[in-house]
Amino acid sequence: MSFSNEQLERYSRHIILKEIGIKGQKKLSAASVLIIGAGGLGAPAALYLAAAGVGRIGIADADRVDLSNLQRQIIHGTNDLGKEKAESAAESMRAVNPETRVETHVCFVSAANIGALIAGYDFVLDGTDNFPAKFLINDACVLAKKPFSHAGIIRFRGQLMTYVPGAGPCYRCAFKEPPPPDAVPTCSQAGVVGAMAGVIGSLQAMEAVKYFTGAGELLTGALLTYDALAQEFRKIRLPRREACGVCGSNPTITAPFDYPGAVCEVAP
Amino acid sequence: MEKYENLPAADAALDITDAVCPITFVRAKAALEEMEAGAVLALRMNDGEPVQNVPRSVKEEGHRILKLADNEDGTYTLFVRKVEEA
């Protein structure tokens, strides 16, 4: 397959880059990404990956667009209030780049459906806002040997890491278990700066682009944290944990499971 | 002068006189990508900005510039030998 003049122009700023070039752009065209959560993190990630010419993007969310979402979920507009978030996101992505195939999954992820959902994609991007969903995505991706980007945001802070099978720790290596319910407030209780979703969601899109093109180093084996008040990034080295319940040498988790009482509210 | 003389034999030709920076280089890069290592591309471009930038960019990609021929009509033809990246 060779690019048309129109495609060469659309992707010219990628193609000029030595680290991407025509080869890297073709890899992006052949790539597929599943974005779980069409919320704060998913919004910029979905727009940038669609604009980047990722061939196929799945977007999973069961919620509808609410007025309180619009402060940070920039893929939705005021005219989208009440629409299914997955559909609203897909419309924006198709408007940015009609060449990207967008698939909508109007559902919350659970142990029952996550295996089938992630099986259809090369890379998974976690844009959820709660610990049960994050552990579920981690376990399912580790068990299916699926690379994924983890991220979380709250108030003026954000963090992300990337899991690639065989290349470093998983999310459970670092965080073991979800905190007790209500020990950590969700974004709806604690608040979050809208631009924080833009910073961290864009970094997740960057990890996906680098994963597919092979450019540079991924955040495997490291947690990148961002403190907006101090305006500081920190990269914390993370070792793989031999005793990890899912990726360790004697795993106790052999199938994805839902934490009790978990209502997977996606999207911060 | 040497308009019709001493020009390298080209395996492929591309006219980018209808494009402006950076699409000039992007099209050249795409054309070189499709060619075999060692093959020669004849690249026709406008005088001015393209002649200043495209040869340099193509060289930075690791390809070999064989000749820049003045077509004496406001365009130049750049002969580039494709070098496979190491």
Side-chain angles (χ1 to χ4, degrees), chain A:
Chain A
M1 181 203 82
S2 58
F3 289 120
S4 67
N5 280 347
E6 197 185 299
Q7 287 172 313
L8 290 178
E9 186 163 352
R10 179 183 283 272
Y11 304 120
S12 58
R13 299 313 193 265
H14 273 169
I15 291 169
I16 288 165
L17 297 172
K18 237 188 151 75
E19 293 82 354
I20 298 183
I22 301 271
K23 282 196 183 83
Q25 193 58 48
K26 281 185 180 169
K27 285 178 187 163
L28 289 173
S29 303
S32 60
V33 177
L34 174 67
I35 299 172
I36 303 178
L41 294 167
L47 289 173
Y48 275 120
L49 292 178
V54 168
R56 191 164 56 86
I57 303 176
I59 184 121
D61 203 311
D63 264 336
R64 289 177 182 274
V65 180
D66 183 84
L67 188 56
S68 67
N69 299 152
L70 301 183
Q71 162 257 16
R72 65 203 173 282
Q73 301 178 14
I74 56 165
I75 202 165
H76 313 297
T78 304
N79 291 336
D80 298 318
L81 289 174
K83 274 190 206 164
E84 279 163 350
K85 279 190 180 177
E87 278 306 324
S88 162
E91 280 173 28
S92 303
M93 292 157 75
R94 289 177 187 131
V96 170
N97 191 351
E99 289 184 356
T100 291
R101 217 166 95 207
V102 183
E103 298 165 346
T104 57
H105 304 280
V106 183
C107 59
F108 289 128
V109 290
S110 68
N113 67 12
I114 192 156
L117 263 176
I118 65 174
Y121 298 90
D122 303 324
F123 189 93
V124 175
L125 200 143
D126 174 1
T128 65
D129 76 340
N130 67 88
F131 291 103
K134 292 188 183 304
F135 278 89
L136 174 70
I137 291 166
N138 179 72
D139 295 348
C141 286
V142 169
L143 292 166
K145 297 188 162 52
K146 187 76 64 183
F148 79 99
S149 161
H150 151 83
I153 54 174
I154 194 163
R155 300 191 183 107
F156 285 85
R157 289 175 182 274
Q159 66 175 38
L160 74 155
M161 64 176 281
T162 301
Y163 170 78
V164 174
C170 75
Y171 176 65
R172 198 179 274 281
C173 286
F175 297 98
K176 291 181 189 160
E177 291 285 331
D182 296 328
V184 179
T186 63
C187 280
S188 52
Q189 298 153 350
V192 65
V193 182
M196 179 58 73
V199 171
I200 304 294
S202 300
L203 285 171
Q204 288 187 282
M206 183 65 84
E207 287 290 278
V209 166
K210 287 165 57 198
Y211 172 77
F212 288 116
T213 59
E217 307 286 327
L218 292 172
L219 283 170
T220 50
L223 181 77
L224 186 67
T225 66
Y226 173 49
D227 176 345
L229 290 178
Q231 205 60 292
E232 257 174 18
F233 282 95
R234 279 179 66 204
K235 196 168 166 183
I236 302 156
R237 299 215 62 79
L238 280 183
R240 196 173 145 262
R241 208 160 47 84
E242 268 308 296
C244 174
V246 67
C247 81
S249 38
N250 291 302
T252 52
I253 299 161
T254 53
F257 67 98
D258 293 313
Y259 279 93
V263 179
C264 295
E265 269 179 48
V266 273

